[in-house]
Amino acid sequence: MQAVKAGTRPPWVGFAAAVWVGISAGNSYCFPLYSHSLKTVLGFSQQQLTILGVANDFGENTGILPGIACNYFPPWVVLLVGVFSCFFGYGVIWLAISQTVVNMPYWVLWIALVLAANSSAWLGTAVIVTNLRNFPLSRGTVAGLLKGYIALSAAVFTEVCTMLLNGSAPAIVLVFTLGIPVICLTLMYYVRPCTPASEADPSENGHFLFTQGTSLLLAIFLLSTTILKNTLNLNDTISYTFIAIMVVLLLSPLAIPIKMTLFPARKKLLRPAESSDSLVSVEGDSKTDPLLTPSSSAANLTSFHESDSEVNMLLAVGEGAIKKKRRPRRGEDFSFHEAMMKADFWLLWMTYFLGVGSGVTVLNNLAQIGASLGFDDTNTLLTSAIFSAGLVAVPLNTIPRTFWTMVTQIIMVLTYLLYASALDGTLYAATALLGTCYGVQIAIMISTSSELFGLKNFGIIFNFMQLGNPLGALLFSGMLAGYIYDTEEAKQGTSSCMGPACFRFTFLVLACVCGVGTILSLILTLRIRPVYQMLYAGGSFRLPQSAGHR
């Protein structure tokens, strides 16, 4: 596939297409939209329903194969697998929930949910990996924006469900079955790799700020309109107008390539680099080997002490007399096996497991949490949960992004205690706080993985990190929350558990879990701060000289 120089329109057209594919990739976040119907129509217990939620989380976060595929196949192939997974998985769920097929076996439904949610891994991995490689110097911003749009998909589909489908669970599942494949098949050509820039583009920050602003505006709009729909009796004209405005906001990233077409930059394009190992020269420039004049970040990441023997060794290696492979240092490209040998890898995994794994427990049981406290408006609850999930966590004066992981986990401890207290008027606020922390931690994990371990095998590494989500769901949701709920329901002798006791003990356990996560986040932040001081020594991200990407 032909590479295109950085700064030209195709990378930004691809980014705009990735926004729509990202919205499609967030289908797994929408489990609460139809989980209640699964329970009532098929007669499942709460524990059976939470195990289905685990299937959803397992499929969503099992992305090792998509990560490997990104290293060997073009993005359209990875997207095509996601399309088929979505169509067949949600097709089976629709047959069951619409009672087109009666008495569908539980295990078939479980496998169908894994397959349906696994489409998120294929679609999301394709757009995130491709765009991080297209914009390596803005990888943190790109990761946060795309993951933010993926998180906002739950609000987008909630808007569609409430405004157009009158809250029909079978109808929204049918949209997943047919609508998502159509969107991805239409746009997959535009999600393609382009040659990245080796130096920062001054206009890039402005473009990303515009995209961040429109995504925040979209989040506010979705929350506001969902509340209006559930509190006022809106007619069809107003509902359709809201949908049209939502579509315009989703199309807003296209304004960037349109602006670049109408008002092309007069300055010379930045020099492209196929990889950071390439020695790039421009016609007419002096051909200076960049290894002779390393950047400050590259110099900091190389050996601090050189003796005469080391110089001789390097000369021997250069002449081919000795073949020596140096282990990568943090900030350079790691293989998956090399990354797994690092303590920072497992610290990052554990903090993700404890934070996001506990957060997904609440999101999976959100409908039942609301119902147990007397709230039937689960659509507004879901929208408030993802309201600010796309905030981008950036380093502060070379302080690592994991500092924000620590901050959000402290907030989550307080949020779980707020849930456990069941105070009047706190449910929506607690859910919005939790959704914000949940989304920020996902974006932090993606950005930090790319900064510590490079982009060459990024798809495999970050998808392995995401396994913390389904494992947390299995442990905290399937084995803890579902069991506590069913026990309380049996004590009450009713078909649905009512009152704070249904989830109180679960929330207290989750608060303790996030307390441990806070300590681990602090340890990780202190460990990797020297790396961020090197990478951000000039005030913005500097690509290490040896950190190639494909």
Side-chain angles (χ1 to χ4, degrees):
M1 190 173 292
Q2 184 178 3
V4 184
K5 291 183 179 180
T8 53
R9 292 183 298 279
W12 288 101
V13 172
F15 182 82
V19 167
W20 280 78
V21 178
I23 292 293
S24 302
N27 61 77
S28 56
Y29 287 113
C30 301
F31 182 69
L33 286 178
Y34 59 90
S35 63
H36 186 68
S37 293
L38 281 176
K39 182 178 181 181
T40 55
V41 172
L42 303 178
F44 293 149
S45 68
Q46 182 63 25
Q47 191 160 22
Q48 285 179 307
L49 185 64
T50 55
I51 294 299
L52 288 179
V54 171
N56 181 79
D57 297 320
F58 182 77
E60 173 195 354
N61 295 282
T62 306
I64 300 297
L65 285 179
I68 295 173
C70 281
N71 285 347
Y72 296 97
F73 300 102
W76 69 265
V77 174
V78 183
L79 291 172
L80 193 61
V81 176
V83 165
F84 282 109
S85 179
C86 181
F87 176 76
F88 288 108
Y90 280 114
V92 172
I93 296 171
W94 179 81
L95 292 175
I97 206 171
S98 64
Q99 295 188 299
T100 304
V101 174
V102 183
N103 297 325
M104 183 174 291
Y106 182 82
W107 65 270
V108 173
L109 198 59
W110 196 92
I111 293 174
L113 259 171
V114 172
L115 185 63
N118 194 235
S119 67
S120 295
W122 290 90
L123 302 178
T125 298
V127 297
I128 290 175
V129 171
T130 302
N131 279 275
L132 260 66
R133 289 173 176 172
N134 287 347
F135 299 98
L137 302 181
S138 301
R139 60 185 69 179
T141 303
V142 172
L145 281 170
L146 290 179
K147 257 305 182 181
Y149 275 110
I150 291 173
L152 281 175
S153 65
V156 170
F157 287 120
T158 299
E159 188 93 346
V160 172
C161 187
T162 55
M163 299 290 179
L164 299 182
L165 308 177
N166 296 318
S168 171
I172 194 63
V173 174
L174 187 61
V175 169
F176 296 155
T177 306
L178 301 178
I180 290 176
V182 169
I183 291 173
C184 295
L185 288 172
T186 303
L187 299 175
M188 65 169 54
Y189 169 77
Y190 300 100
V191 181
R192 54 177 175 163
C194 304
T195 304
S198 59
E199 300 175 21
D201 183 349
S203 65
E204 200 169 89
N205 288 337
H207 293 156
F208 282 126
L209 281 174
F210 169 77
T211 309
Q212 287 174 321
T214 55
S215 65
L216 181 60
L217 182 61
L218 174 64
I220 296 172
F221 175 79
L222 291 171
L223 179 63
S224 304
T225 53
T226 303
I227 293 174
L228 286 175
K229 178 66 176 179
N230 287 281
T231 54
L232 301 175
N233 187 19
L234 302 180
N235 58 41
D236 290 344
T237 302
I238 296 177
S239 297
Y240 296 152
T241 302
F242 285 160
I243 293 294
I245 295 173
M246 180 188 75
V247 171
V248 170
L249 289 172
L250 286 172
L251 288 171
S252 60
L254 269 178
I256 297 171
I258 291 173
K259 171 250 184 185
M260 297 175 75
T261 301
L262 298 177
F263 306 99
R266 297 180 181 274
K267 70 180 185 68
K268 186 178 178 181
L269 286 175
L270 294 171
R271 294 183 299 171
E274 286 288 341
S275 72
S276 53
D277 288 327
S278 303
L279 304 181
V280 181
S281 62
V282 180
E283 186 176 354
D285 290 350
S286 61
K287 297 186 177 181
T288 303
D289 189 339
L291 294 177
L292 300 178
T293 56
S295 65
S296 60
S297 59
N300 286 329
L301 289 171
T302 56
S303 177
F304 294 149
H305 304 286
E306 285 187 352
S307 62
D308 291 339
S309 61
E310 288 173 330
V311 173
N312 294 332
M313 177 69 74
L314 290 173
L315 291 173
V317 171
E319 293 172 357
I322 300 176
K323 292 184 179 180
K324 181 180 178 182
K325 182 179 179 181
R326 178 178 63 81
R327 290 183 179 180
R329 293 177 173 85
R330 292 174 300 182
E332 299 175 350
D333 283 331
F334 281 71
S335 69
F336 179 58
H337 178 264
E338 289 168 336
M340 290 185 70
M341 296 297 104
K342 292 293 184 180
D344 296 336
F345 179 91
W346 292 107
L347 278 171
L348 183 60
W349 190 91
M350 281 299 298
T351 58
Y352 183 80
F353 164 71
L354 296 175
V356 175
S358 63
V360 76
T361 300
V362 177
L363 298 180
N364 281 354
N365 293 277
L366 199 56
Q368 289 70 40
I369 292 171
S372 68
L373 298 176
F375 290 84
D376 297 324
D377 184 10
T378 56
N379 287 341
T380 306
L381 266 181
L382 178 61
T383 306
S384 64
I386 49 80
F387 168 60
S388 298
L391 293 178
V392 180
V394 297
L396 291 175
N397 296 324
T398 68
I399 297 176
R401 297 178 196 274
T402 49
F403 169 80
W404 291 107
T405 303
M406 181 182 66
V407 171
T408 53
Q409 290 201 346
I410 292 172
I411 296 173
M412 288 176 76
V413 171
L414 300 176
T415 301
Y416 291 137
L417 295 177
L418 195 60
Y419 273 120
S421 69
L423 296 174
D424 291 339
T426 60
L427 181 61
Y428 287 109
T431 304
L433 279 174
L434 180 74
T436 300
C437 296
Y438 179 85
V440 167
Q441 287 188 45
I442 293 175
I444 289 171
M445 182 275 290
I446 295 174
S447 304
T448 305
S449 296
S450 70
E451 288 166 335
L452 292 182
F453 307 114
L455 293 175
K456 186 175 181 180
N457 295 287
F458 167 71
I460 305 172
I461 291 172
F462 103 84
N463 273 300
F464 182 86
M465 292 285 177
Q466 289 199 136
L467 289 176
N469 188 308
L471 290 176
L474 175 63
L475 180 62
F476 304 129
S477 182
M479 299 178 66
L480 176 66
Y483 174 77
I484 297 297
Y485 182 96
D486 287 341
T487 301
E488 290 295 328
E489 183 181 82
K491 289 179 182 179
Q492 295 178 10
T494 58
S495 58
S496 298
C497 183
M498 297 298 295
C502 301
F503 290 97
R504 175 169 287 156
F505 183 74
T506 300
F507 290 135
L508 294 176
V509 172
L510 297 182
C512 295
V513 165
C514 274
V516 175
T518 301
I519 297 173
L520 295 180
S521 299
L522 175 61
I523 295 172
L524 178 59
T525 300
L526 295 176
R527 281 179 57 88
I528 65 177
R529 185 171 184 182
V531 182
Y532 276 78
Q533 289 173 335
M534 298 171 191
L535 294 176
Y536 288 89
S540 60
F541 185 81
R542 298 290 300 275
L543 194 64
Q545 197 76 16
S546 60
H549 55 278
R550 296 169 53 158

